[in-house]
Amino acid sequence: MNAAIRGVVRAALGRGVEVKGFYHGYQGIVDNEIIPLESITVGGIISRGGTILRTARSKSFMEAEGRKKALRNLTENGIEGLIIIGGDGSLTGARKMHEEFGFPVMGVPGSIDNDISGTDMCIGFDTAVNVALEAIDRVRDTAYSHERVFVIEVMGRHNGFIALEAGLAGGAEAVIIPEVPYSLLQICDSLRNMYDRGKRSSIIVVAEGAARASDIKEFISRTTGYEARYLVLGHMQRGGSPTAFDRVLGVRLGAFAANRLLSGFSGEMVGVDGTKLVSHPLTYVLSTQRTVDPEKLLLVDVMAK
Ligand code: F6P
């Protein structure tokens, strides 16, 4: 998200427009936690994960009263447009500001879950996948040497984008995601088949929205008798220095959002379609479900044989 903040600030300044930031997301607008964002403020932040503006989940902004207070603060501070970086909740808030008050807003998709429609990639997803991949690669050494089954739980809230991408990249023997029904008995059968073919270790990647890694590990060791371990990656996936891909994506989307807002567009979210920059109405983005590519899950199975 820092790369996107940098993109917004420097693109707007380049067009002679002053930029302010609010700490703690919508809560910061309600509480008027405003700071000037100058070119120097965003210097050296492109390599840092998270957001220099910090963030929060705001209960008061969900109430009409809180949003009115936010609008008052925006107006009193002379704010003429708002760029919101975030996931589903953040974009829903942006749509409300646009629909209820006609306030100019532009959304930027930021979520490691990658579950936002209207863009192929959300800021943070690639970094999260690469963190998960590094964990898979490291764990594989123990799995191989000790001939064990490892179950690795990754984030993703209600979807399996991180699990599928990291699992495919890491050569996982199975990937379990919430979008597709799975059978643990079938997974145990294929582990046995692999064992019979001489493959004595395996890695199963499970998305947090599908099952708990600890439960799967228990089931597998009880059913097969193989030695198994589990690992929950958790918030490791949300931090650390962003990948080159995420930095470029953040800067491009941030600058594009600023330029689009300054050109008079509103109520949209910017994104990428392949490598092309695009922008879609927030109504479309928030009413469309983004789904995983089932072909990738099939490929995991084919590759595991
Ligand atoms: O939406 C991003 C995400 O990291 C999910 O993948 C995860 O389920 C959730 O946030 C964790 O939220 P929290 O940090 O509040 O526990």
Side-chain angles (χ1 to χ4, degrees), residues 125-139:
F125 174 65
D126 187 67
T127 304
V129 166
N130 277 287
V131 170
L133 179 60
E134 190 185 341
I136 293 170
D137 288 348
R138 285 176 184 268
V139 161

Side-chain angles (χ1 to χ4, degrees), residues 57 111-113 155-157 162 208 235 238:
R57 300 194 206 281
S111 169
I112 64 162
D113 304 335
M155 275 187 166
R157 209 178 284 270
I162 299 178
E208 64 175 350
H235 290 80
R238 281 207 340 207

Side-chain angles (χ1 to χ4, degrees), residues 142-143 145-151 191 195 200-202 217-218 220-222 224-230:
T142 303
S145 309
H146 289 259
E147 302 190 333
R148 287 175 184 163
V149 177
F150 266 89
V151 184
L191 290 181
Y195 198 89
R200 299 288 155 87
S201 66
S202 38
K217 178 243 157 198
E218 277 312 313
I220 289 174
S221 45
R222 227 182 318 117
T224 62
Y226 299 152
E227 197 182 355
R229 296 280 191 275
Y230 76 95

Side-chain angles (χ1 to χ4, degrees), residues 98-180:
H98 176 71
E99 284 176 357
E100 289 175 8
F101 311 124
F103 200 83
V105 297
M106 194 56 64
V108 177
S111 169
I112 64 162
D113 304 335
N114 212 33
D115 57 350
I116 301 168
S117 288
T119 186
D120 287 347
M121 296 289 275
C122 298
I123 299 167
F125 174 65
D126 187 67
T127 304
V129 166
N130 277 287
V131 170
L133 179 60
E134 190 185 341
I136 293 170
D137 288 348
R138 285 176 184 268
V139 161
R140 196 172 280 288
D141 292 345
T142 303
Y144 177 85
S145 309
H146 289 259
E147 302 190 333
R148 287 175 184 163
V149 177
F150 266 89
V151 184
I152 302 181
E153 182 181 313
V154 299
M155 275 187 166
R157 209 178 284 270
H158 307 300
N159 72 66
F161 286 99
I162 299 178
L164 198 47
E165 209 69 13
L168 194 54
E173 277 65 30
V175 172
I176 299 173
I177 57 174
E179 294 90 336
V180 179

Side-chain angles (χ1 to χ4, degrees), residues 235-297:
H235 290 80
M236 273 190 58
Q237 293 155 100
R238 281 207 340 207
S241 195
T243 58
F245 181 93
D246 264 335
R247 297 182 198 196
V248 173
L249 183 69
V251 170
R252 285 182 81 205
L253 291 184
F256 187 48
N259 283 323
R260 234 175 131 75
L261 193 61
L262 292 173
S263 303
F265 293 94
S266 174
E268 297 180 351
M269 185 200 78
V270 295
V272 281
D273 178 356
T275 56
K276 250 186 24 239
L277 291 167
V278 290
S279 194
H280 295 287
L282 282 166
T283 42
Y284 162 78
V285 168
L286 292 166
S287 61
T288 319
Q289 182 102 23
R290 188 166 141 69
T291 49
V292 292
D293 181 353
E295 178 262 337
K296 284 188 178 168
L297 195 60

